[in-house]
Amino acid sequence: MPGPGTVAGCFAAEQRLLKALSDEPFETGRWSSPLVDRYSTLSIRTNRYSVPVRLIGQRVRVLLHASEVVIYDGRTEIVL
């Protein structure tokens, strides 16, 4: 068995204290509420995304994941 000063040793000491993960899902993305500009686009970090013209001047909700951007008008997902 590895000694207490190693990563494996520390994990072995803590393993019995760890609890099981929750069955409930949790959100890992980051929410923001950007304003749609007069060109019908919005900026998320360094990227610009086009949205429907009817949203000009309004705030939309954006959920940014590591590999996906989801834009909402209220509770409705905007399909890009």
Side-chain angles (χ1 to χ4, degrees):
M1 176 156 182
T6 65
V7 172
C10 291
F11 177 71
E14 287 186 12
Q15 190 172 15
R16 61 186 173 80
L17 303 173
L18 298 175
K19 295 182 180 183
L21 292 175
S22 173
D23 291 335
E24 295 180 31
F26 58 94
E27 185 56 62
T28 58
R30 175 176 281 179
W31 286 99
S32 64
S33 299
L35 184 66
V36 178
D37 66 18
R38 65 182 177 171
Y39 302 107
S40 187
T41 62
L42 53 97
S43 179
I44 303 170
R45 297 220 172 166
T46 59
N47 299 308
R48 299 197 67 74
Y49 297 89
S50 294
V51 294
V53 174
R54 65 182 168 74
L55 296 173
I56 291 174
Q58 296 183 36
R59 291 206 175 271
V60 293
R61 292 184 318 130
V62 176
L63 181 56
L64 178 63
H65 290 281
S67 60
E68 178 183 39
V69 176
V70 185
I71 303 172
Y72 294 91
D73 175 18
R75 293 182 179 220
T76 305
E77 184 177 328
I78 297 172
V79 180
L80 303 176

